[in-house]
Amino acid sequence: MENNSFMEVRENVIVNRSFDFSVRIIKFCYEMQSQHREYIITKQLLKSGTSIGANIEEAQGAISKKEFIAKTQISLKKAREFVYWIRLIIESQVFKSEKLSFLLNESKKLVYILTKIYFSFIYEKNLRHISIFHHYFDILSFWNHYFIINIFHI
């Protein structure tokens, strides 16, 4: 039997999770368009929500750490934008669905994960520069505390 361990694709949680999230967004937007003939906000949801996974996928093929960081940062921005649009739907109460709370919670988790990934690479990149290291460490500590308190309501 041939050893194909180098060809095996290791499971990547953020890639799989963002892909599954995109599939749910597509289904949700289709439902919203079918039942309520709403196209403007669903277009924003589709664009921002599916862009998260697309940029994460692009980051997997990055040719440098700088490109990986840039694609991760774009994914993070799109995840935060998605949180905005889904909150807008929830607060305006134009469409009610149990799926909304799942999409909101999952998008907040993606923001959290992507923030950790982004800052871990920034931290690693600036490890040689002590003053910058302390600055990013302080930011990372702040964001870690912020997300634990505000997103997960702990």
Side-chain angles (χ1 to χ4, degrees), residues 40-92:
I40 297 169
I41 294 176
T42 53
K43 183 178 178 182
Q44 295 297 328
L45 285 175
L46 278 168
K47 286 173 66 176
S48 61
T50 57
S51 181
I52 300 166
N55 280 289
I56 289 170
E57 193 63 46
E58 283 188 45
Q60 302 310 301
I63 58 174
S64 66
K65 281 187 180 181
K66 186 176 180 178
E67 183 183 4
F68 180 85
I69 291 168
K71 292 297 180 182
T72 302
Q73 188 176 27
I74 293 168
S75 291
L76 176 57
K77 287 172 58 176
K78 292 299 180 177
R80 292 180 60 83
E81 180 184 349
F82 184 86
V83 169
Y84 171 81
W85 288 113
I86 206 76
R87 283 183 53 226
L88 190 62
I89 293 171
I90 291 168
E91 292 299 319
S92 65

Side-chain angles (χ1 to χ4, degrees), residues 2-116:
E2 194 175 323
N3 183 358
N4 291 327
S5 61
F6 70 95
M7 296 180 72
E8 290 179 24
V9 178
R10 206 174 78 195
E11 182 179 0
N12 188 323
V13 175
I14 190 68
V15 170
N16 295 337
R17 193 170 196 155
S18 63
F19 181 83
D20 292 342
F21 183 66
S22 293
V23 170
R24 286 179 181 263
I25 292 167
I26 291 168
K27 290 178 179 179
F28 173 76
C29 289
Y30 177 77
E31 178 185 328
M32 200 166 159
Q33 290 171 347
S34 306
Q35 293 178 7
H36 296 279
R37 304 285 185 242
E38 200 304 306
Y39 300 98
I40 297 169
I41 294 176
T42 53
K43 183 178 178 182
Q44 295 297 328
L45 285 175
L46 278 168
K47 286 173 66 176
S48 61
T50 57
S51 181
I52 300 166
N55 280 289
I56 289 170
E57 193 63 46
E58 283 188 45
Q60 302 310 301
I63 58 174
S64 66
K65 281 187 180 181
K66 186 176 180 178
E67 183 183 4
F68 180 85
I69 291 168
K71 292 297 180 182
T72 302
Q73 188 176 27
I74 293 168
S75 291
L76 176 57
K77 287 172 58 176
K78 292 299 180 177
R80 292 180 60 83
E81 180 184 349
F82 184 86
V83 169
Y84 171 81
W85 288 113
I86 206 76
R87 283 183 53 226
L88 190 62
I89 293 171
I90 291 168
E91 292 299 319
S92 65
Q93 298 181 355
V94 294
F95 184 75
K96 294 182 182 181
S97 171
E98 294 175 6
K99 296 173 186 171
L100 288 169
S101 62
F102 172 81
L103 290 172
L104 178 62
N105 289 332
E106 187 63 17
S107 60
K108 286 180 176 181
K109 289 175 187 174
L110 287 171
V111 167
Y112 177 77
I113 293 167
L114 288 166
T115 300
K116 296 288 269 185

